[in-house]
Amino acid sequence: MTSINLADRAVDLGEWARRTPDATSEFTRAVREWLAQNLVDEFALLMGKGGPGSEHEFFAERLAWDRHLAASGWTCLGWPTRYGGRGATLEQRIIFHQEYARANAPARVNHLGEELLGPTLIEFGTEEQKQRFLPGIVDVTELWAQGYSEPGAGSDLAGVSTTARLDDDGNRWHINGQKIWTSLAHVAQWVFVVARSEPGSSRHKGLSFLLVPLDQSGVTVRPIQQLTGTSEFNEVFFDDATTEADLIVGAPGEGWAVAMGLLQFERGVSTLGQQVGFARELDALTEMARANGTLGDPEIATRLVRARIRLRAMRANAQRTLDGDAASSGGTWGAAAAAGVASVAKLLWANWHRDLGELAMAVAGPASLIGPTETVEGRRNEIADPEHVELDEWQRLFLFTRADTIYGGSNEVQRNIIAERVLGLPREARA
């Protein structure tokens, strides 16, 4: 197994490198060389920018970087070549995400299109939909938002109340309702929406999966300011908004299956790259503890060691899961166990990252309580926007990771999925 130094300790190719050593090593070299040659000049200034809680940073510049990746064939790696992808193997996709994270390359702006909607269209969409939308995702000329959560539904996707109905001549869908926590809707051109298309239906029945343009009079996007002072997500109001009748993915009333298929793509190979970022954060926090002397505190030292052990366990679980996916198209898991794989992974990384934010505040000590608009002497600094809170990296990590256990399916929802679908326990009573 490849051994990596302290700064890169989370990166080892493990089983992936042993399976196809020649092809894997060649691909690894290609990714590393391209990143080294291209993360220069103006792009070098973007390194480490735009991560969770910092999506506002250099957005236009990161969009240009994504388009630069596209021009060199580094977007949509796993897609079939006939749809503009590279036809990369699972091993190669894992390597790319890991090497991208190792290089501290900027956060991508096209995740929802490339990792979620694109694979969903390839799996469930019509050929006309693929030809219409996939090219814009590949070359990053059209950005997408996700219209799932609602004020009265939250992580309970089956509880959505936004409605969609076909007009009398069957040409257009008319959509009414509200979505919330809609990431990047303020910069996207399109949103995929789960809406109730069958009056009187309930829960997962009667839902449809629609592709809706955001630039129209019937759509209002209202940014929501987060604890971090930024506005990465939004409220989206649909007041008789419309979309073409054929912009429905799957059959009318069968949107639940499409929506669930998309969520499986959400927790794919990119999570290993995410863990490289986690390892970098943990290494930096350990160095801060060493520098300010808190590493000598037995409690702090123990928590840092436990964090590293949990990170390794998280990685082992991800590799085991992906290994099962690679073994066969259906994976090596039984149907019941497969239902809980994504939920286990979400619980592991969300709770780990939240706990790291809390540990960062303990390591920083009293300094973690000093806001950027005041000094130790209590004198206030002038900032251009008093409503926008500027934070240091650890304060931002602590505040933003409060949301890690909520977005993408809350802890409570994930545990219910595991209990009901995997362990066969009685379903939670619903009002």
Side-chain angles (χ1 to χ4, degrees):
M1 181 174 292
T2 304
S3 178
I4 308 298
N5 64 30
L6 178 66
D8 300 324
R9 72 179 69 220
V11 186
D12 68 73
L13 303 181
E15 293 300 323
W16 316 113
R18 286 200 290 272
R19 275 193 203 138
T20 53
D22 294 335
T24 296
S25 60
E26 180 180 349
F27 186 80
T28 302
R29 284 194 300 270
V31 175
R32 287 181 180 176
E33 289 175 4
W34 190 90
L35 289 169
Q37 293 167 4
N38 287 270
L39 277 172
V40 295
D41 300 327
E42 70 272 18
F43 290 142
L45 302 176
L46 303 178
M47 292 173 67
K49 303 299 183 183
S54 302
E55 288 85 354
H56 64 292
E57 293 181 326
F58 302 99
F59 182 84
E61 293 81 0
R62 290 190 292 115
L63 176 59
W65 165 253
D66 262 27
R67 290 173 175 170
H68 183 65
L69 284 167
S72 299
W74 291 111
T75 57
C76 308
L77 297 185
W79 292 16
T81 55
R82 67 182 182 277
Y83 295 128
R86 198 170 181 136
T89 66
L90 177 63
E91 289 87 348
Q92 289 172 333
R93 291 161 57 204
I94 291 170
I95 288 167
F96 177 82
H97 284 289
Q98 292 182 143
E99 293 299 325
Y100 191 90
R102 282 185 72 248
N104 203 23
R108 307 281 297 278
V109 303
N110 196 29
H111 173 79
L112 291 172
E114 180 172 339
E115 301 290 347
L116 302 189
L117 181 66
T120 302
L121 286 180
I122 291 171
E123 179 74 18
F124 299 99
T126 65
E127 192 60 32
E128 290 75 14
Q129 291 169 349
K130 296 171 189 177
Q131 295 299 327
R132 179 170 179 178
F133 292 111
L134 295 183
I137 298 174
V138 171
D139 61 20
V140 203
T141 54
E142 288 184 330
L143 301 180
W144 287 82
Q146 180 178 21
Y148 274 18
S149 296
E150 297 184 3
S155 294
D156 182 15
L157 182 58
V160 301
S161 59
T162 294
T163 62
R165 65 170 181 82
L166 276 174
D167 55 24
D168 292 339
D169 54 13
N171 290 330
R172 303 188 70 82
W173 291 97
H174 291 254
I175 303 148
N176 288 276
Q178 178 187 357
K179 297 294 181 177
I180 199 167
W181 320 128
T182 312
S183 298
L184 303 181
H186 59 300
V187 294
Q189 291 79 44
W190 290 84
V191 58
F192 46 94
V193 175
V194 175
R196 193 161 298 283
S197 57
E198 296 181 3
S201 63
S202 63
R203 303 303 299 161
H204 61 275
K205 298 179 180 179
L207 300 174
S208 291
F209 190 104
L210 302 173
L211 309 177
V212 182
L214 285 169
D215 186 15
Q216 59 172 297
S217 59
V219 175
T220 301
V221 178
R222 182 183 301 165
I224 301 172
Q225 189 177 72
Q226 304 163 193
L227 283 173
T228 54
T230 58
S231 300
E232 174 265 339
F233 48 40
N234 310 265
E235 296 176 287
V236 180
F237 299 88
F238 299 96
D239 298 301
D240 207 33
T242 67
T243 195
E244 297 172 22
D246 61 350
L247 295 188
I248 178 172
V249 183
E254 297 181 5
W256 178 258
V258 180
M260 291 300 99
L262 181 142
L263 291 178
Q264 294 304 310
F265 293 122
E266 183 176 25
R267 293 161 194 165
V269 297
S270 62
T271 59
L272 284 174
Q274 175 192 53
Q275 291 170 25
V276 176
F278 287 172
R280 181 180 291 110
E281 290 175 339
L282 179 55
D283 287 340
L285 184 58
T286 302
E287 289 304 313
M288 183 171 77
R290 181 176 290 110
N292 69 11
T294 54
L295 192 59
D297 181 329
E299 181 182 355
I300 295 293
T302 299
R303 290 173 68 182
L304 285 167
V305 169
R306 285 176 175 168
R308 197 165 297 283
I309 293 171
R310 289 173 62 194
L311 182 59
R312 288 182 177 272
M314 188 195 315
R315 179 173 179 77
N317 178 73
Q319 288 183 319
R320 180 175 64 97
T321 301
L322 290 169
D323 192 36
D325 288 342
S328 67
S329 59
T332 58
W333 319 102
V341 165
S343 294
V344 169
K346 175 60 167 57
L347 285 170
L348 286 174
W349 75 254
N351 288 295
W352 185 92
H353 208 209
R354 176 204 59 197
D355 293 347
L356 185 71
E358 294 177 353
L359 178 54
M361 295 297 94
V363 170
S368 67
L369 303 176
I370 300 175
T373 58
E374 59 183 339
T375 66
V376 175
E377 294 80 15
R379 291 179 283 111
R380 299 189 64 79
N381 297 324
E382 295 296 328
I383 57 175
D385 180 5
E387 297 301 320
H388 182 85
V389 181
E390 293 294 343
L391 305 167
D392 69 32
E393 61 177 315
W394 302 115
Q395 291 170 327
R396 185 181 297 114
L397 177 73
F398 170 71
L399 291 175
F400 190 84
T401 55
R402 305 289 85 196
D404 281 352
T405 60
I406 301 173
Y407 70 78
S410 69
N411 278 3
E412 292 79 6
V413 168
Q414 305 307 328
R415 290 178 178 128
N416 278 351
I417 291 172
I418 295 168
E420 296 171 4
R421 300 186 190 176
V422 180
L423 302 179
L425 298 178
R427 296 183 63 84
E428 181 182 32
R430 302 184 187 275

